[in-house]
Amino acid sequence: MLIVMKSDATQDQVDRVVEIIEVLGLRGHVLPGETRTAIGITGNKGSVDPAHFENVPGVAEAIRVTKPYKLISKDLRPEKSVIKVGNAEIGGEELAIIAGPCAVEYPEQVLKVAEAVAASGAKFFRGGAFKPRTSPYAFQGKGEDGLKILAEVRDRFGLNIVTEAMDERGIDLVEKYGDCIQIGARNMQNFSLLKYAGQARKPILLKRGMAATLDEFLLAAEYIMSEGNYDVILCERGIRTFADHARNTLDLSIVPALQRISHLPVIVDPSHGTGHNYMVTPMARAGVAVGADGLIIEVHPCPEEALCDGAQALTPAQYAELSEQVKRLHELVNSKEEIFAGV
Ligand code: PEP
Ligand code: MN
């Protein structure tokens, strides 16, 4: 059930609707929009009787939701969500570029990349302090020490920090040091972790699981939102297919498919999506061309020495070129009415 308030509904009227929802033993999620506020209801096993809201002042209509997701849906918020991450935004007019190394290795490595990322005008910096590695013998990340290096990047360069958490303790630590908590592909269906992330007070970057369908991906986001954290950014990072020319198959068709259903911003990761340096820039351009709200790119000062994912890392110079290209392309994509006028 979804309650749509009249455009002139007052805060008191919204509060009263939430109160009624709570009396019914359910949870109300208030999502203010540009033209009206909608209130999603979760916690119900069967359908909720719309009669409860029929005569409540300020209510325009009570709509039954038949789809499996409620809060991620454009039914709840028709306009796109703009998510505040630190002192910047993802999902707004500007293309959001998150760049940095796969893993935080040592201060000079991180600071060198941060300098290049800040010089490109990007507002977000990535780097894993907790690394989900296939082998237990591979570099596992620097943990809290790595987060401290990232916090230094924010202080020195004003970049907003996006970094992965793999468990509840990690979420607490990233909440303390970072600006955005990344939930990786391997944890997309770690439901207890998603619920915990839903209680965090920092935005969540949710990566698509490597075998996740669109519904599974959106329901993972729904898990986070159902706990009260509405600041979720979706990330396509490639899926497993029979194709073996790339590390993963970057499924760009999911970008418009997600945007058709959901108000959440969608970004693309051409680094993990391809696994190869030479494919990253062309696929980053492709991501922008299909309408992604942002990109997440791995950069290393010396890719051949990287402790993790060196084959897909760009050098700072390659990254600077990518950044210029995608920014220009994004301007063109946004002016598509002009480009395609009369076509
Ligand atoms: C990452 O971004 O560092 C990462 C591990 O990505 P994914 O979860 O998409 O594999
Ligand atoms: Mn990586």
Side-chain angles (χ1 to χ4, degrees):
M1 174 78 57
L2 162 67
I3 311 292
V4 178
M5 301 301 289
K6 291 180 180 158
S7 55
D8 59 354
T10 63
Q11 186 59 47
D12 282 352
Q13 291 171 336
V14 171
D15 293 346
R16 176 65 190 139
V17 171
V18 173
E19 200 175 272
I20 297 168
I21 294 167
E22 282 167 7
V23 167
L24 296 172
L26 308 172
R27 180 157 181 183
H29 303 264
V30 179
L31 265 87
E34 264 162 34
T35 53
R36 41 85 154 165
T37 290
I39 304 165
I41 302 179
T42 59
N44 49 307
K45 298 279 180 283
S47 58
V48 182
D49 186 353
H52 290 291
F53 306 96
E54 199 174 298
N55 300 311
V56 179
V59 171
E61 55 178 333
I63 303 168
R64 277 219 164 94
V65 180
T66 48
K67 299 176 194 116
Y69 24 72
K70 308 177 179 190
L71 306 176
I72 61 97
S73 167
K74 278 189 155 167
D75 294 342
L76 188 64
R77 191 211 288 268
E79 60 271 12
K80 278 174 79 166
S81 282
V82 179
I83 312 287
K84 198 152 194 317
V85 175
N87 63 12
E89 288 173 350
I90 298 183
E93 305 252 295
E94 203 180 312
L95 181 73
I97 303 181
I98 306 166
C102 175
V104 172
E105 296 170 10
Y106 51 94
E108 301 80 66
Q109 167 240 10
V110 175
L111 295 172
K112 232 183 216 171
V113 178
E115 208 176 332
V117 171
S120 77
K123 307 226 165 92
F124 309 94
F125 190 77
R126 64 149 291 144
F130 301 103
K131 294 305 304 174
R133 303 305 301 277
T134 302
S135 165
Y137 307 117
F139 175 62
Q140 302 286 306
K142 307 266 294 181
E144 190 167 359
D145 287 344
L147 294 177
K148 288 181 183 162
I149 299 174
L150 291 170
E152 195 186 330
V153 166
R154 190 190 27 241
D155 293 347
R156 277 176 60 172
F157 298 97
L159 293 163
N160 299 293
I161 304 299
V162 179
T163 187
E164 179 163 357
M166 300 201 300
D167 49 27
E168 296 186 359
R169 181 180 152 267
I171 287 191
D172 292 344
L173 286 168
V174 174
E175 208 176 354
K176 179 172 164 199
Y177 292 101
D179 299 294
C180 181
I181 305 162
Q182 178 174 322
I183 305 267
R186 293 155 191 81
N187 271 317
M188 192 209 79
Q189 281 195 317
N190 181 340
F191 300 118
S192 55
L193 191 67
L194 295 175
K195 285 188 191 170
Y196 197 78
Q199 284 154 28
R201 279 172 302 277
K202 291 272 165 83
I204 308 295
L205 174 64
L206 179 66
K207 300 192 92 179
R208 180 184 181 187
M210 48 187 108
T213 63
L214 176 133
D215 266 2
E216 287 164 345
F217 190 16
L218 287 173
L219 284 167
E222 188 79 26
Y223 258 95
I224 299 168
M225 296 181 79
S226 70
E227 293 292 322
N229 187 346
Y230 308 123
D231 294 337
V232 179
I233 300 139
L234 304 170
C235 177
E236 161 59 27
R237 49 78 72 205
I239 49 171
R240 286 261 169 97
T241 68
F242 55 81
D244 57 3
H245 61 280
R247 180 179 178 184
N248 290 293
T249 297
L250 190 63
D251 177 19
L252 291 178
S253 69
I254 205 166
V255 175
L258 290 167
Q259 288 171 340
R260 187 183 169 97
I261 299 169
S262 178
H263 53 86
L264 297 173
V266 182
I267 71 163
V268 165
D269 176 350
S271 303
H272 296 90
T274 65
H276 298 286
N277 174 293
Y278 78 95
M279 292 182 181
V280 172
T281 299
M283 294 310 281
R285 292 195 298 249
V288 173
V290 294
D293 298 290
L295 296 168
I296 180 164
I297 308 286
E298 287 190 348
V299 186
H300 196 285
C302 188
E304 56 279 19
E305 289 176 13
L307 296 181
C308 187
D309 287 352
Q312 68 197 34
L314 299 187
T315 62
Q318 290 172 326
Y319 163 71
E321 202 179 324
L322 172 149
S323 167
E324 277 312 307
Q325 290 187 8
V326 293
K327 276 193 272 185
R328 279 197 214 171
L329 190 61
H330 186 249
E331 266 174 41
L332 276 177
V333 171
N334 279 354
S335 61
K336 62 177 180 283
E337 256 109 79
E338 280 163 46
I339 309 172
F340 298 135
V343 177

